[in-house]
Coordinates of all heavy atoms in Angstrom, one line a residue:
M32 N -8.1 12.5 -20.0 CA -6.8 12.2 -19.3 C -7.0 10.9 -18.5 O -8.1 10.6 -18.1 CB -6.5 13.4 -18.4 CG -6.3 14.7 -19.1 SD -4.9 14.8 -20.2 CE -3.7 15.2 -19.0
S33 N -5.9 10.3 -18.2 CA -5.9 9.1 -17.5 C -4.6 8.9 -16.7 O -3.6 9.7 -16.9 CB -6.1 7.9 -18.4 OG -5.1 7.8 -19.3
D34 N -4.6 8.0 -15.8 CA -3.4 7.7 -15.0 C -3.1 6.2 -15.1 O -3.9 5.4 -15.4 CB -3.6 8.1 -13.5 CG -3.7 9.6 -13.3 OD1 -2.9 10.3 -13.8 OD2 -4.7 10.0 -12.5
L35 N -1.8 5.9 -14.8 CA -1.4 4.5 -14.8 C -1.2 4.1 -13.4 O -0.6 4.8 -12.6 CB -0.1 4.3 -15.6 CG -0.1 4.6 -17.0 CD1 1.3 4.5 -17.6 CD2 -1.0 3.6 -17.7
F36 N -1.6 2.9 -13.0 CA -1.4 2.3 -11.7 C -0.8 0.9 -11.9 O -1.3 0.1 -12.7 CB -2.7 2.2 -10.9 CG -3.3 3.5 -10.6 CD1 -4.5 3.9 -11.2 CD2 -2.8 4.3 -9.5 CE1 -5.0 5.1 -10.9 CE2 -3.4 5.5 -9.2 CZ -4.5 5.9 -9.9
A37 N 0.1 0.5 -11.1 CA 0.7 -0.8 -11.1 C 0.3 -1.5 -9.8 O 0.3 -0.9 -8.7 CB 2.2 -0.7 -11.1
C38 N -0.2 -2.7 -9.9 CA -0.6 -3.5 -8.7 C -0.6 -5.0 -9.1 O -0.2 -5.4 -10.2 CB -1.9 -3.1 -8.2 SG -3.3 -3.6 -9.2
T39 N -0.9 -5.8 -8.1 CA -1.0 -7.3 -8.3 C -2.4 -7.7 -8.1 O -3.1 -7.3 -7.2 CB -0.1 -7.9 -7.2 OG1 1.3 -7.4 -7.4 CG2 0.0 -9.4 -7.5
T40 N -2.8 -8.6 -9.0 CA -4.2 -9.1 -9.0 C -4.3 -10.2 -7.9 O -3.4 -10.6 -7.3 CB -4.6 -9.7 -10.3 OG1 -3.9 -10.9 -10.5 CG2 -4.4 -8.8 -11.5
T41 N -5.6 -10.7 -7.7 CA -5.8 -11.7 -6.8 C -5.1 -13.0 -7.1 O -4.9 -13.9 -6.3 CB -7.3 -12.1 -6.7 OG1 -7.8 -12.4 -8.0 CG2 -8.1 -10.9 -6.2
T42 N -4.7 -13.2 -8.4 CA -4.0 -14.4 -8.8 C -2.5 -14.2 -9.0 O -1.8 -15.0 -9.5 CB -4.6 -14.9 -10.2 OG1 -4.6 -13.9 -11.1 CG2 -6.0 -15.4 -10.0
G43 N -2.1 -13.1 -8.5 CA -0.6 -12.8 -8.5 C -0.1 -12.2 -9.8 O 1.2 -12.0 -9.9
E44 N -0.9 -11.8 -10.7 CA -0.5 -11.2 -11.9 C -0.1 -9.8 -11.6 O -0.9 -9.0 -11.0 CB -1.6 -11.2 -13.0 CG -1.9 -12.6 -13.5 CD -1.0 -13.0 -14.6 OE1 -0.9 -12.2 -15.6 OE2 -0.5 -14.1 -14.5
K45 N 1.1 -9.3 -12.1 CA 1.4 -7.9 -12.0 C 0.8 -7.2 -13.2 O 1.1 -7.7 -14.3 CB 2.9 -7.8 -11.9 CG 3.5 -8.3 -10.6 CD 5.0 -8.1 -10.6 CE 5.5 -8.7 -9.3 NZ 7.0 -8.7 -9.2
V46 N 0.1 -6.2 -12.9 CA -0.6 -5.5 -14.0 C -0.4 -4.0 -13.9 O -0.1 -3.5 -12.8 CB -2.1 -5.8 -14.0 CG1 -2.3 -7.3 -14.3 CG2 -2.8 -5.3 -12.8
V47 N -0.6 -3.3 -15.0 CA -0.7 -1.9 -15.0 C -2.1 -1.5 -15.5 O -2.5 -2.0 -16.6 CB 0.4 -1.3 -16.0 CG1 0.2 0.2 -16.1 CG2 1.8 -1.6 -15.4
S48 N -2.8 -0.7 -14.8 CA -4.1 -0.3 -15.2 C -4.1 1.1 -15.7 O -3.4 2.0 -15.1 CB -5.1 -0.4 -14.0 OG -5.1 -1.7 -13.5
V49 N -4.9 1.4 -16.7 CA -5.1 2.7 -17.2 C -6.5 3.2 -16.7 O -7.5 2.5 -17.1 CB -5.0 2.8 -18.7 CG1 -5.2 4.2 -19.2 CG2 -3.7 2.2 -19.2
V50 N -6.5 4.2 -15.9 CA -7.8 4.6 -15.3 C -8.0 6.1 -15.6 O -7.1 6.9 -15.4 CB -7.8 4.3 -13.8 CG1 -9.1 4.7 -13.2 CG2 -7.5 2.9 -13.5
P51 N -9.2 6.5 -15.9 CA -9.5 7.9 -16.2 C -9.3 8.8 -15.0 O -9.6 8.3 -13.9 CB -10.9 7.9 -16.8 CG -11.5 6.7 -16.2 CD -10.4 5.7 -16.1
T52 N -8.9 10.0 -15.2 CA -9.0 11.0 -14.2 C -10.4 11.4 -14.0 O -11.3 11.3 -14.9 CB -8.1 12.2 -14.5 OG1 -8.5 12.7 -15.7 CG2 -6.6 11.8 -14.5
I53 N -10.7 12.0 -12.9 CA -12.1 12.5 -12.6 C -12.3 13.8 -13.4 O -11.5 14.8 -13.1 CB -12.4 12.6 -11.1 CG1 -12.2 11.3 -10.4 CG2 -13.7 13.3 -10.9 CD1 -12.3 11.3 -8.9
P54 N -13.2 13.9 -14.3 CA -13.4 15.1 -15.0 C -13.9 16.3 -14.2 O -14.7 16.1 -13.3 CB -14.5 14.8 -16.1 CG -14.7 13.3 -16.0 CD -14.2 12.9 -14.7
D55 N -13.3 17.5 -14.5 CA -13.8 18.7 -13.8 C -15.3 18.9 -14.0 O -15.7 18.7 -15.1 CB -13.0 19.9 -14.3 CG -11.6 19.9 -13.9 OD1 -11.2 19.3 -12.9 OD2 -10.8 20.6 -14.6
G56 N -16.0 19.2 -13.0 CA -17.4 19.5 -13.1 C -18.3 18.3 -13.2 O -19.5 18.4 -13.4
A57 N -17.7 17.1 -13.1 CA -18.5 15.9 -13.2 C -19.5 15.8 -12.0 O -19.2 16.2 -10.9 CB -17.7 14.6 -13.2
P58 N -20.7 15.2 -12.2 CA -21.6 15.0 -11.1 C -21.0 14.1 -10.1 O -20.2 13.3 -10.4 CB -22.8 14.4 -11.8 CG -22.7 14.7 -13.2 CD -21.2 14.8 -13.5
D59 N -21.5 14.2 -8.9 CA -21.0 13.4 -7.7 C -21.0 11.9 -8.1 O -20.1 11.2 -7.7 CB -21.8 13.6 -6.5 CG -21.5 15.0 -5.9 OD1 -20.5 15.6 -6.3 OD2 -22.3 15.4 -5.0
V60 N -22.1 11.4 -8.7 CA -22.1 9.9 -9.0 C -21.0 9.5 -9.9 O -20.5 8.4 -9.7 CB -23.6 9.5 -9.5 CG1 -23.8 10.1 -10.9 CG2 -23.7 8.0 -9.4
I61 N -20.7 10.3 -10.9 CA -19.6 10.0 -11.8 C -18.2 10.1 -11.0 O -17.4 9.2 -11.1 CB -19.6 10.9 -13.0 CG1 -20.8 10.6 -13.9 CG2 -18.3 10.7 -13.8 CD1 -21.0 11.5 -15.1
R62 N -18.1 11.1 -10.2 CA -16.9 11.3 -9.4 C -16.7 10.1 -8.5 O -15.6 9.5 -8.4 CB -16.9 12.6 -8.6 CG -17.1 13.8 -9.4 CD -17.2 15.1 -8.5 NE -15.9 15.4 -8.0 CZ -15.0 16.1 -8.7 NH1 -15.2 16.4 -9.9 NH2 -13.8 16.3 -8.1
E63 N -17.7 9.6 -7.9 CA -17.7 8.5 -7.0 C -17.3 7.2 -7.7 O -16.5 6.4 -7.3 CB -19.0 8.3 -6.2 CG -19.0 7.1 -5.2 CD -18.0 7.3 -4.1 OE1 -17.5 8.4 -3.8 OE2 -17.7 6.2 -3.5
G64 N -18.0 7.0 -8.9 CA -17.7 5.8 -9.7 C -16.3 5.7 -10.2 O -15.6 4.7 -10.0
I65 N -15.8 6.8 -10.6 CA -14.4 6.8 -11.1 C -13.4 6.7 -9.9 O -12.4 6.0 -10.0 CB -14.1 8.1 -12.0 CG1 -14.9 8.0 -13.3 CG2 -12.6 8.2 -12.3 CD1 -14.8 9.3 -14.1
A66 N -13.7 7.4 -8.8 CA -12.9 7.2 -7.6 C -12.8 5.8 -7.2 O -11.7 5.3 -6.8 CB -13.4 8.1 -6.5
R67 N -13.9 5.1 -7.2 CA -13.9 3.7 -6.8 C -13.1 2.8 -7.8 O -12.4 1.9 -7.4 CB -15.3 3.1 -6.7 CG -16.1 3.7 -5.6 CD -17.5 3.1 -5.5 NE -18.2 3.6 -4.3 CZ -19.2 3.0 -3.7 NH1 -19.6 1.8 -4.1 NH2 -19.8 3.5 -2.7
R68 N -13.2 3.1 -9.1 CA -12.4 2.4 -10.1 C -10.9 2.6 -9.9 O -10.1 1.7 -10.0 CB -12.8 2.8 -11.5 CG -14.1 2.1 -11.9 CD -14.5 2.4 -13.3 NE -15.6 1.6 -13.7 CZ -15.8 1.0 -14.8 NH1 -14.9 1.1 -15.8 NH2 -16.9 0.3 -15.1
R69 N -10.6 3.9 -9.5 CA -9.2 4.2 -9.2 C -8.7 3.4 -8.0 O -7.6 2.9 -8.0 CB -9.0 5.7 -9.1 CG -9.2 6.4 -10.4 CD -9.3 7.9 -10.2 NE -8.0 8.5 -9.8 CZ -7.0 8.8 -10.6 NH1 -7.2 8.7 -11.9 NH2 -5.8 9.3 -10.2
L70 N -9.5 3.3 -7.0 CA -9.2 2.6 -5.8 C -8.9 1.1 -6.1 O -7.9 0.5 -5.7 CB -10.4 2.6 -4.8 CG -10.3 2.1 -3.4 CD1 -9.3 3.0 -2.7 CD2 -11.6 2.1 -2.7
V71 N -9.8 0.5 -6.9 CA -9.5 -0.9 -7.3 C -8.3 -1.1 -8.1 O -7.5 -2.0 -8.0 CB -10.8 -1.5 -8.0 CG1 -10.5 -2.9 -8.6 CG2 -12.0 -1.5 -7.1
A72 N -8.0 -0.1 -9.0 CA -6.8 -0.2 -9.8 C -5.5 -0.1 -9.1 O -4.5 -0.6 -9.5 CB -6.8 0.9 -10.9
T73 N -5.6 0.3 -7.8 CA -4.4 0.4 -7.0 C -4.3 -0.9 -6.1 O -3.4 -1.0 -5.3 CB -4.4 1.6 -6.1 OG1 -5.5 1.6 -5.2 CG2 -4.4 2.9 -6.9
G74 N -5.2 -1.8 -6.3 CA -5.1 -3.1 -5.6 C -6.0 -3.1 -4.4 O -6.0 -4.1 -3.6
Q75 N -6.8 -2.1 -4.1 CA -7.6 -2.1 -3.0 C -9.0 -2.5 -3.4 O -9.4 -2.6 -4.5 CB -7.7 -0.7 -2.4 CG -6.3 -0.2 -1.9 CD -6.4 1.2 -1.4 OE1 -7.0 1.5 -0.5 NE2 -5.7 2.1 -2.2
R76 N -9.9 -2.8 -2.4 CA -11.2 -3.2 -2.6 C -12.2 -2.0 -2.8 O -12.0 -1.0 -2.0 CB -11.8 -4.0 -1.4 CG -11.4 -5.5 -1.5 CD -12.1 -6.2 -0.4 NE -11.6 -7.6 -0.3 CZ -12.3 -8.6 -0.9 NH1 -13.4 -8.4 -1.5 NH2 -11.8 -9.8 -0.8
C77 N -13.1 -2.1 -3.7 CA -14.2 -1.1 -3.8 C -15.1 -1.3 -2.5 O -15.2 -2.4 -2.0 CB -15.0 -1.4 -5.1 SG -16.4 -0.3 -5.3
P78 N -15.7 -0.2 -2.1 CA -16.7 -0.4 -1.0 C -17.7 -1.4 -1.2 O -18.3 -2.0 -0.3 CB -17.3 1.0 -0.8 CG -16.2 1.9 -1.3 CD -15.6 1.2 -2.5
C79 N -18.0 -1.8 -2.5 CA -19.0 -2.8 -2.8 C -18.4 -4.2 -2.7 O -19.1 -5.2 -2.8 CB -19.6 -2.6 -4.2 SG -18.6 -3.2 -5.6
G80 N -17.1 -4.3 -2.5 CA -16.4 -5.6 -2.3 C -15.6 -6.0 -3.6 O -14.9 -6.9 -3.5
A81 N -15.8 -5.3 -4.7 CA -15.1 -5.7 -5.9 C -13.6 -5.5 -5.8 O -13.2 -4.6 -5.1 CB -15.6 -4.9 -7.1
R82 N -12.9 -6.3 -6.4 CA -11.4 -6.2 -6.5 C -10.9 -6.7 -7.8 O -11.6 -7.3 -8.6 CB -10.7 -6.9 -5.3 CG -11.0 -8.4 -5.3 CD -10.5 -9.0 -4.0 NE -10.8 -10.4 -4.0 CZ -10.2 -11.3 -3.3 NH1 -9.1 -10.9 -2.6 NH2 -10.5 -12.5 -3.4
L83 N -9.7 -6.4 -8.1 CA -9.1 -6.7 -9.4 C -8.8 -8.2 -9.4 O -8.0 -8.7 -8.6 CB -7.8 -5.9 -9.5 CG -7.1 -5.7 -10.9 CD1 -8.1 -5.0 -11.8 CD2 -5.8 -5.0 -10.7
V84 N -9.4 -8.9 -10.3 CA -9.2 -10.4 -10.4 C -8.4 -10.7 -11.7 O -8.8 -10.2 -12.8 CB -10.6 -11.1 -10.5 CG1 -10.5 -12.6 -10.7 CG2 -11.4 -10.7 -9.2
G85 N -7.4 -11.5 -11.5 CA -6.6 -11.8 -12.6 C -7.2 -12.9 -13.5 O -8.3 -13.4 -13.1
P86 N -6.5 -13.3 -14.5 CA -7.0 -14.4 -15.4 C -7.0 -15.7 -14.7 O -6.3 -16.0 -13.8 CB -6.1 -14.4 -16.6 CG -4.8 -13.7 -16.0 CD -5.3 -12.8 -15.0
N87 N -8.0 -16.6 -15.1 CA -8.0 -18.0 -14.5 C -6.8 -18.8 -15.1 O -6.1 -18.3 -15.9 CB -9.3 -18.6 -14.8 CG -9.7 -18.8 -16.2 OD1 -8.8 -19.0 -17.1 ND2 -10.9 -18.8 -16.6
R88 N -6.7 -20.0 -14.7 CA -5.6 -20.9 -15.1 C -5.5 -21.1 -16.6 O -4.4 -20.9 -17.1 CB -5.7 -22.2 -14.4 CG -4.5 -23.1 -14.7 CD -4.6 -24.4 -14.0 NE -4.5 -24.2 -12.5 CZ -4.7 -25.1 -11.6 NH1 -4.9 -26.3 -11.9 NH2 -4.6 -24.8 -10.3
A89 N -6.6 -21.3 -17.2 CA -6.6 -21.5 -18.7 C -6.1 -20.2 -19.4 O -5.3 -20.3 -20.3 CB -7.9 -21.9 -19.2
Q90 N -6.6 -19.1 -18.9 CA -6.3 -17.8 -19.5 C -4.8 -17.5 -19.3 O -4.1 -17.0 -20.1 CB -7.1 -16.7 -18.9 CG -8.6 -16.8 -19.4 CD -9.5 -15.9 -18.6 OE1 -9.3 -15.7 -17.4 NE2 -10.5 -15.3 -19.2
R91 N -4.3 -17.9 -18.1 CA -2.8 -17.7 -17.8 C -2.0 -18.6 -18.7 O -0.9 -18.2 -19.2 CB -2.5 -18.0 -16.3 CG -3.1 -16.9 -15.4 CD -2.4 -17.0 -14.0 NE -2.6 -18.3 -13.4 CZ -3.6 -18.7 -12.6 NH1 -4.6 -17.8 -12.4 NH2 -3.7 -19.9 -12.1
R92 N -2.4 -19.8 -19.0 CA -1.7 -20.7 -19.8 C -1.6 -20.2 -21.2 O -0.5 -20.2 -21.9 CB -2.3 -22.1 -19.9 CG -1.8 -23.0 -18.8 CD -2.1 -24.5 -19.1 NE -3.5 -24.8 -19.2 CZ -4.3 -25.2 -18.3 NH1 -3.8 -25.4 -17.1 NH2 -5.6 -25.4 -18.5
R93 N -2.7 -19.7 -21.7 CA -2.7 -19.1 -23.1 C -1.8 -17.8 -23.1 O -1.1 -17.6 -24.0 CB -4.2 -18.7 -23.5 CG -5.0 -19.9 -24.0 CD -6.3 -19.4 -24.7 NE -7.1 -18.6 -23.9 CZ -8.0 -19.0 -23.0 NH1 -8.3 -20.3 -22.9 NH2 -8.8 -18.2 -22.3
A94 N -1.9 -17.0 -22.0 CA -1.1 -15.8 -22.0 C 0.3 -16.1 -21.9 O 1.2 -15.4 -22.4 CB -1.6 -15.0 -20.8
A95 N 0.7 -17.2 -21.3 CA 2.1 -17.6 -21.2 C 2.8 -17.8 -22.5 O 4.0 -17.7 -22.7 CB 2.3 -18.8 -20.3
K96 N 2.0 -18.2 -23.5 CA 2.5 -18.4 -24.8 C 2.7 -17.1 -25.6 O 3.3 -17.1 -26.7 CB 1.5 -19.3 -25.6 CG 1.4 -20.7 -25.0 CD 0.4 -21.5 -25.8 CE 0.2 -22.9 -25.1 NZ -1.0 -23.6 -25.6
L97 N 2.2 -16.1 -25.1 CA 2.3 -14.8 -25.7 C 3.6 -14.1 -25.3 O 4.2 -14.5 -24.3 CB 1.1 -13.9 -25.4 CG -0.2 -14.4 -25.7 CD1 -1.3 -13.5 -25.1 CD2 -0.4 -14.5 -27.2
K98 N 4.0 -13.1 -26.0 CA 5.2 -12.3 -25.6 C 4.9 -11.5 -24.3 O 3.7 -11.2 -24.1 CB 5.5 -11.3 -26.7 CG 6.0 -11.9 -28.0 CD 6.3 -10.8 -29.0 CE 6.6 -11.4 -30.3 NZ 6.7 -10.4 -31.4
T99 N 5.9 -11.3 -23.5 CA 5.7 -10.5 -22.4 C 5.4 -9.0 -22.8 O 5.7 -8.6 -23.9 CB 6.9 -10.4 -21.4 OG1 8.0 -10.0 -22.2 CG2 7.2 -11.8 -20.9
G100 N 4.6 -8.4 -22.0 CA 4.3 -7.0 -22.4 C 3.1 -6.9 -23.2 O 2.7 -5.8 -23.6
T101 N 2.4 -8.0 -23.5 CA 1.2 -7.9 -24.2 C 0.0 -7.5 -23.3 O 0.1 -7.7 -22.1 CB 0.8 -9.3 -24.9 OG1 0.8 -10.3 -23.9 CG2 1.9 -9.6 -26.0
V102 N -1.1 -7.1 -23.9 CA -2.2 -6.7 -23.1 C -3.0 -7.9 -22.7 O -3.2 -8.8 -23.5 CB -3.2 -5.8 -24.0 CG1 -4.4 -5.5 -23.2 CG2 -2.4 -4.5 -24.3
R103 N -3.4 -8.0 -21.5 CA -4.1 -9.2 -20.9 C -5.4 -8.6 -20.2 O -5.4 -7.5 -19.8 CB -3.3 -10.0 -19.9 CG -2.1 -10.6 -20.6 CD -1.3 -11.3 -19.5 NE 0.0 -11.7 -20.2 CZ 0.9 -12.3 -19.5 NH1 0.8 -12.7 -18.2 NH2 2.0 -12.7 -20.1
D104 N -6.4 -9.4 -20.1 CA -7.6 -9.0 -19.5 C -7.5 -9.3 -18.0 O -7.1 -10.3 -17.5 CB -8.8 -9.8 -20.0 CG -9.1 -9.4 -21.5 OD1 -8.8 -8.2 -21.8 OD2 -9.5 -10.3 -22.2
V105 N -8.0 -8.3 -17.2 CA -8.2 -8.5 -15.8 C -9.7 -8.1 -15.6 O -10.3 -7.4 -16.4 CB -7.3 -7.7 -14.9 CG1 -5.9 -8.2 -15.0 CG2 -7.4 -6.2 -15.2
F106 N -10.3 -8.6 -14.5 CA -11.7 -8.4 -14.3 C -12.0 -7.7 -13.0 O -11.3 -8.0 -12.0 CB -12.4 -9.7 -14.4 CG -12.1 -10.4 -15.7 CD1 -11.1 -11.4 -15.7 CD2 -12.8 -10.1 -16.8 CE1 -10.8 -12.0 -16.9 CE2 -12.5 -10.8 -18.0 CZ -11.5 -11.7 -18.1
V107 N -13.0 -6.9 -12.9 CA -13.6 -6.4 -11.7 C -15.1 -6.4 -11.8 O -15.7 -5.9 -12.8 CB -13.2 -4.9 -11.5 CG1 -13.7 -4.3 -10.3 CG2 -11.6 -4.7 -11.6
W108 N -15.7 -7.1 -10.9 CA -17.2 -7.2 -10.9 C -17.7 -6.4 -9.7 O -17.7 -6.9 -8.6 CB -17.6 -8.7 -10.7 CG -17.4 -9.5 -12.0 CD1 -18.2 -9.5 -13.1 CD2 -16.3 -10.4 -12.3 NE1 -17.7 -10.4 -14.0 CE2 -16.5 -10.9 -13.5 CE3 -15.2 -10.7 -11.6 CZ2 -15.6 -11.8 -14.1 CZ3 -14.3 -11.6 -12.1 CH2 -14.5 -12.1 -13.4
H109 N -18.2 -5.2 -10.1 CA -18.8 -4.4 -9.1 C -20.3 -4.8 -8.9 O -20.9 -5.4 -9.8 CB -18.8 -2.9 -9.5 CG -17.4 -2.3 -9.6 ND1 -16.9 -1.7 -8.5 CD2 -16.6 -2.2 -10.6 CE1 -15.7 -1.3 -8.8 NE2 -15.4 -1.5 -10.1
E110 N -20.8 -4.6 -7.7 CA -22.2 -4.9 -7.5 C -23.1 -4.0 -8.5 O -22.6 -2.9 -8.8 CB -22.6 -4.6 -6.1 CG -22.0 -5.5 -5.1 CD -22.5 -7.0 -5.2 OE1 -23.6 -7.2 -5.6 OE2 -21.7 -7.9 -5.0
H111 N -24.3 -4.5 -8.8 CA -25.0 -3.7 -9.8 C -25.4 -2.3 -9.4 O -25.6 -1.4 -10.2 CB -26.3 -4.5 -10.2 CG -27.3 -4.6 -9.2 ND1 -27.3 -5.4 -8.1 CD2 -28.5 -3.8 -9.0 CE1 -28.3 -5.2 -7.4 NE2 -29.1 -4.2 -7.9
D112 N -25.5 -2.1 -8.0 CA -25.9 -0.8 -7.5 C -24.7 0.1 -7.2 O -24.8 1.2 -6.7 CB -26.8 -0.9 -6.3 CG -26.2 -1.7 -5.2 OD1 -25.2 -2.4 -5.4 OD2 -26.7 -1.6 -4.1
C113 N -23.5 -0.4 -7.5 CA -22.2 0.3 -7.2 C -22.1 1.4 -8.3 O -22.2 1.1 -9.5 CB -21.0 -0.6 -7.2 SG -19.5 0.3 -7.0
P114 N -21.7 2.7 -7.9 CA -21.6 3.7 -8.9 C -20.4 3.5 -9.9 O -20.2 4.1 -10.9 CB -21.4 5.0 -8.1 CG -21.0 4.5 -6.8 CD -21.6 3.2 -6.6
A115 N -19.5 2.5 -9.5 CA -18.4 2.2 -10.4 C -18.7 1.1 -11.4 O -17.9 0.8 -12.3 CB -17.2 1.7 -9.6
S116 N -19.9 0.5 -11.3 CA -20.3 -0.5 -12.3 C -20.4 0.1 -13.7 O -20.7 1.3 -13.8 CB -21.6 -1.2 -12.0 OG -22.7 -0.3 -12.2
T117 N -20.1 -0.6 -14.7 CA -20.1 -0.1 -16.1 C -21.5 0.5 -16.4 O -21.6 1.5 -17.0 CB -19.7 -1.2 -17.1 OG1 -18.4 -1.6 -16.8 CG2 -19.8 -0.7 -18.5
E118 N -22.5 -0.3 -16.0 CA -23.9 0.1 -16.3 C -24.2 1.5 -15.7 O -24.8 2.4 -16.3 CB -24.9 -0.9 -15.9 CG -24.8 -2.2 -16.6 CD -23.6 -3.1 -16.1 OE1 -23.1 -2.8 -15.0 OE2 -23.2 -4.1 -16.8
A119 N -23.8 1.6 -14.4 CA -24.1 2.8 -13.6 C -23.3 4.0 -14.2 O -23.9 5.1 -14.4 CB -23.7 2.7 -12.2
L120 N -22.1 3.8 -14.6 CA -21.3 4.9 -15.2 C -21.8 5.3 -16.6 O -21.9 6.5 -16.9 CB -19.8 4.5 -15.3 CG -19.0 4.8 -14.0 CD1 -17.6 4.2 -14.1 CD2 -19.0 6.3 -13.7
I121 N -22.2 4.3 -17.4 CA -22.7 4.6 -18.7 C -24.0 5.5 -18.5 O -24.1 6.5 -19.2 CB -23.1 3.3 -19.5 CG1 -21.8 2.7 -20.0 CG2 -24.0 3.7 -20.7 CD1 -22.0 1.3 -20.6
E122 N -24.9 5.1 -17.6 CA -26.1 5.9 -17.4 C -25.8 7.3 -16.9 O -26.4 8.3 -17.3 CB -27.0 5.1 -16.5 CG -28.4 5.8 -16.2 CD -29.2 5.9 -17.5 OE1 -29.0 5.1 -18.4 OE2 -30.0 6.8 -17.6
A123 N -24.9 7.4 -15.9 CA -24.5 8.7 -15.4 C -23.9 9.6 -16.4 O -24.2 10.8 -16.4 CB -23.6 8.5 -14.2
V124 N -23.0 9.0 -17.2 CA -22.4 9.9 -18.2 C -23.4 10.3 -19.3 O -23.4 11.4 -19.7 CB -21.2 9.1 -18.9 CG1 -20.7 9.8 -20.1 CG2 -20.1 8.9 -17.9
R125 N -24.3 9.4 -19.6 CA -25.4 9.7 -20.6 C -26.2 10.9 -20.0 O -26.5 11.8 -20.8 CB -26.2 8.5 -20.8 CG -26.9 8.5 -22.1 CD -27.6 7.2 -22.4 NE -26.7 6.2 -23.1 CZ -26.7 4.9 -23.0 NH1 -27.6 4.3 -22.2 NH2 -25.9 4.2 -23.7
E126 N -26.6 10.8 -18.8 CA -27.4 11.9 -18.2 C -26.7 13.2 -18.1 O -27.2 14.2 -18.4 CB -27.9 11.5 -16.8 CG -29.0 10.4 -16.8 CD -29.4 10.0 -15.3 OE1 -29.0 10.7 -14.4 OE2 -30.0 8.9 -15.2
W127 N -25.4 13.1 -17.8 CA -24.6 14.3 -17.7 C -24.4 14.9 -19.1 O -24.6 16.1 -19.2 CB -23.2 14.0 -17.1 CG -22.3 15.1 -16.9 CD1 -22.6 16.4 -16.5 CD2 -20.9 15.1 -16.9 NE1 -21.5 17.2 -16.4 CE2 -20.4 16.4 -16.6 CE3 -19.9 14.1 -17.2 CZ2 -19.1 16.7 -16.6 CZ3 -18.6 14.5 -17.2 CH2 -18.2 15.8 -16.9
R128 N -24.2 14.1 -20.1 CA -24.0 14.6 -21.4 C -25.3 15.2 -22.0 O -25.3 16.3 -22.5 CB -23.6 13.5 -22.4 CG -23.4 13.9 -23.8 CD -23.3 12.7 -24.7 NE -24.5 12.0 -24.7 CZ -24.7 10.7 -24.9 NH1 -23.6 10.0 -25.2 NH2 -25.9 10.1 -24.9
D129 N -26.5 14.6 -21.7 CA -27.7 15.1 -22.2 C -28.2 16.4 -21.4 O -29.0 17.1 -22.0 CB -28.8 14.0 -22.0 CG -28.6 12.8 -22.9 OD1 -27.7 12.9 -23.9 OD2 -29.2 11.8 -22.7
S130 N -27.7 16.6 -20.2 CA -28.1 17.8 -19.5 C -27.2 19.0 -19.9 O -27.5 20.1 -19.5 CB -27.9 17.6 -18.0 OG -26.5 17.4 -17.6
A131 N -26.2 18.8 -20.6 CA -25.3 19.9 -21.0 C -25.9 20.7 -22.2 O -26.7 20.3 -22.9 CB -23.9 19.3 -21.5
Ligands
ZN27 ZN1 -17.8 -1.3 -6.6

């Protein structure tokens, strides 16, 4: 399951983010990681300082040539020790899956 959030990036792009819901029974580290991602998706900062960053000028120029409503990339760079980082979540999900 997932939720949709609408917010504005650091570069003023209006975006809609699709973020997973927190799975029932998930370990605390996964719950925290997803909660932080949900926080950033609403336009707030992660406790590690990460925030939703829009495309750079070149990417915006390319995107302007596309039809509206197309999928565009936005970026969030969490600190490596943040539970919301992709690497941390992959490892946590792997451990959770292997312990089942
Ligand atoms: Zn973070």
Side-chain angles (χ1 to χ4, degrees):
M32 300 294 273
S33 59
D34 291 315
L35 296 175
F36 294 105
C38 71
T39 304
T40 68
T41 56
T42 54
E44 293 273 310
K45 292 181 179 176
V46 298
V47 173
S48 301
V49 181
V50 182
T52 55
I53 298 172
D55 290 337
D59 287 347
V60 69
I61 293 175
R62 301 179 73 79
E63 180 66 19
I65 293 174
R67 288 181 180 208
R68 285 187 172 216
R69 293 172 66 87
L70 189 68
V71 173
T73 62
Q75 300 176 64
R76 277 185 187 264
C77 178
C79 80
R82 59 187 176 155
L83 199 61
V84 177
N87 63 30
R88 183 176 296 176
Q90 291 167 325
R91 288 195 304 272
R92 273 198 299 266
R93 281 194 303 273
K96 295 176 185 172
L97 302 173
K98 294 179 186 174
T99 57
T101 56
V102 175
R103 299 179 188 176
D104 292 327
V105 293
F106 306 95
V107 179
W108 286 278
H109 293 275
E110 293 294 327
H111 73 278
D112 60 345
C113 177
S116 72
T117 298
E118 297 78 14
L120 273 173
I121 287 173
E122 183 62 27
V124 168
R125 204 173 271 151
E126 287 178 16
W127 185 31
R128 183 192 62 208
D129 292 347
S130 69

